[in-house]
Amino acid sequence: MSLIHRRSLLGAAAAAPLLPAAVRAQEAWPSGPVRLICPFAAGGPTDVMARLVADALSAELSQRFIVENRTGSGVVVGTEAVAKAPKDGSTFLYSTVAHSVLRPLFANLSFDPVRDFQPVALVGVIPMLLMVNKEVPAENLRELVQMFQRDPGKYNYGSSGNGGAVHLATELFLHQAGGLKVNHVPYRGSAPAMPDLLNGNLSMMLNVASDGVASVQRGATRGLAISSAKRMPQLPEVPTFQESGLPNYEAYTWHMVFAPAGTPAPVIRRLNQAVNKVMGDERMRRRVDEMTMEPRSDTTPETAAQWLQAEMAKWEPLVRSAGIVPN
């Protein structure tokens, strides 16, 4: 081997660690399709959003992202599948606020929701809308609270199921409003509960805004409060909980992408950048606006992890104190 050739090889070896991060990330990325596991049923709001994100990522990264629905035992089955998946960037989890309450809801998990996962990016948040049957005499949140205080245990509220985002958000409202006693009626999803809200079997429902805006707009139900820090452009006349006398109340259904713990950092960074880019695209923003989602396009894996920790600190004590158990 000539001296010049040997020096060329040594120079190339020395330069390898200096390759741009994007190049190293691309080398670490798997060559086949990427699974985005959704632990919710096909056709539901989380699944619909997961598929929008998967399609956008497929175009952005020139790699096929496939949504795979894994349901069962709440969100445990799908989440467990990702915790035990290869750490090569071929499998990710697309989940919601339910991830933050797995520990208090299920005593014998085979995985840890924090230790076994790496948050990649916060996709967006969807506020909750408090609706009442149009025959309920309360015209605002203060009057509704007073109505519940006068007759504890007389009224019913519906949810999409025990331990779900709707149930948690409602229990947080009842707790912060002074420990109101309102009967919980769980359903298998929000859609089956809506007819009972319309016919008066339920007095109240604090539903995901995307599932409730239309009924308020057409006058089938009345919206009394929105759970975000600011009013929704779709319902500008509906005040926030904070405006209505509960200054500390805020609740969302949030969507996040997770990787199995141990996934290479370059892969996580690359996917984080891709999620931020697609969620910042104007066409995507118009699509998610129809779903009342506030997209996030500036999160890092670190800020996503901080969000998760804050949500767990918020919801875990509520689940335990309220004695919430899964369906």
Side-chain angles (χ1 to χ4, degrees), residues 293-316:
M293 174 180 276
E294 302 171 14
R296 300 295 173 91
S297 58
D298 59 354
T299 66
T300 65
E302 292 76 20
T303 58
Q306 291 167 6
W307 177 280
L308 176 64
Q309 289 288 356
E311 287 289 285
M312 295 180 82
K314 177 180 183 177
W315 296 117
E316 283 191 344

Side-chain angles (χ1 to χ4, degrees), residues 37 75-85 87 91-95 99 102 109-120 256-263 268 301 305 308-309:
I37 291 183
V75 298
V76 172
V77 171
T79 307
E80 180 182 43
V82 178
K84 297 181 177 180
K87 324 298 184 185
T91 305
F92 295 91
L93 175 70
Y94 190 96
S95 196
H99 191 93
L102 284 169
L109 291 173
S110 63
F111 59 89
D112 187 278
V114 176
R115 185 185 62 244
D116 294 332
F117 291 88
Q118 167 64 61
V120 175
M256 187 179 289
V257 176
F258 297 83
T263 299
I268 289 174
L308 176 64
Q309 289 288 356

Side-chain angles (χ1 to χ4, degrees), residues 116-139:
D116 294 332
F117 291 88
Q118 167 64 61
V120 175
L122 179 64
V123 173
V125 298
I126 302 175
M128 315 289 281
L129 175 63
L130 191 152
M131 301 173 291
V132 295
N133 175 271
K134 60 184 180 180
E135 300 302 324
V136 167
E139 295 292 333

Side-chain angles (χ1 to χ4, degrees), residues 100-291:
S100 63
V101 292
L102 284 169
R103 289 192 303 199
L105 281 179
F106 299 94
N108 298 307
L109 291 173
S110 63
F111 59 89
D112 187 278
V114 176
R115 185 185 62 244
D116 294 332
F117 291 88
Q118 167 64 61
V120 175
L122 179 64
V123 173
V125 298
I126 302 175
M128 315 289 281
L129 175 63
L130 191 152
M131 301 173 291
V132 295
N133 175 271
K134 60 184 180 180
E135 300 302 324
V136 167
E139 295 292 333
N140 53 54
L141 190 67
R142 291 180 188 275
E143 292 181 4
L144 185 71
V145 170
Q146 292 169 356
M147 188 181 84
F148 291 154
Q149 288 173 333
R150 284 193 301 268
D151 295 297
K154 177 181 177 180
Y155 300 98
N156 300 327
Y157 80 85
S159 83
S160 56
N162 287 321
V166 173
H167 185 196
L168 295 174
T170 309
E171 287 297 322
L172 183 64
F173 157 56
L174 298 177
H175 172 74
Q176 291 193 6
L180 301 175
K181 304 298 182 184
V182 185
N183 302 317
H184 175 217
V185 183
Y187 293 78
R188 292 190 176 277
S190 296
M194 285 302 294
D196 277 349
L197 180 64
L198 295 174
N199 65 29
N201 287 335
L202 299 174
S203 299
M204 177 191 78
M205 187 168 180
L206 187 56
N207 202 359
V208 178
S210 55
D211 291 342
V213 166
S215 71
V216 173
Q217 288 176 332
R218 67 174 184 268
T221 62
R222 282 188 290 111
L224 297 190
I226 191 73
S227 71
S228 50
K230 58 183 180 181
R231 297 192 184 197
M232 290 179 57
Q234 296 91 339
L235 295 172
E237 74 283 1
V238 178
T240 67
F241 278 83
Q242 296 173 9
E243 291 176 303
S244 304
L246 289 181
N248 298 318
Y249 186 88
E250 196 169 350
Y252 298 95
T253 290
W254 46 262
H255 292 206
M256 187 179 289
V257 176
F258 297 83
T263 299
V267 172
I268 289 174
R269 290 288 177 188
R270 188 177 181 215
L271 185 57
N272 168 267
Q273 293 165 5
V275 172
N276 282 334
K277 185 173 181 180
V278 301
M279 294 311 298
D281 181 79
E282 186 59 33
R283 289 170 297 180
M284 176 66 86
R285 285 183 173 273
R286 288 197 296 268
R287 291 292 302 275
V288 301
D289 182 67
E290 297 171 0
M291 303 174 68

